[in-house]
Amino acid sequence: MKIKIRLKELLEEKGISQRQLSLRMNMRPATISHLCSDSVDRVYIRTLEQICDALDITVDQLVVSVNEKEDAVDK
């Protein structure tokens, strides 16, 4: 099973820039940028919690499972 962090989509839905989120979270903009990319292979649970707190969302809104076969077809 593959999982995906939907941070980029959620920021767009909420009208918040990556920079604004980094300021809210007191985190480096490069870290937020990386978490918005499709190449995230690890992340601290605490970071996910901080993102959820900053965006007032739940972890199941932020992290979703992706069917790898469907993902390969989409690319």
Side-chain angles (χ1 to χ4, degrees):
M1 172 180 58
K2 185 176 179 181
I3 62 171
K4 178 181 178 187
I5 299 173
R6 296 185 56 244
L7 183 56
K8 184 176 181 179
E9 295 92 336
L10 290 166
L11 289 176
E12 288 173 5
E13 288 173 17
K14 292 185 172 280
I16 299 170
S17 71
Q18 292 179 24
R19 177 135 178 90
Q20 288 171 319
L21 181 61
S22 71
L23 292 171
R24 280 187 192 183
M25 295 179 59
N26 195 27
M27 190 172 283
R28 292 179 38 235
T31 302
I32 299 299
S33 178
H34 177 69
L35 292 172
C36 286
S37 74
D38 289 333
S39 63
V40 178
D41 61 353
R42 65 184 68 119
V43 61
Y44 290 112
I45 296 292
R46 182 65 193 132
T47 302
L48 295 178
E49 291 172 343
Q50 289 173 319
I51 291 169
C52 289
D53 289 344
L55 296 178
D56 194 29
I57 59 173
T58 61
V59 73
D60 61 314
Q61 292 173 297
L62 179 61
V63 179
V64 294
S65 64
V66 177
N67 183 330
E68 292 183 47
K69 291 179 184 175
E70 288 178 11
D71 193 40
V73 171
D74 290 341
K75 289 185 179 179

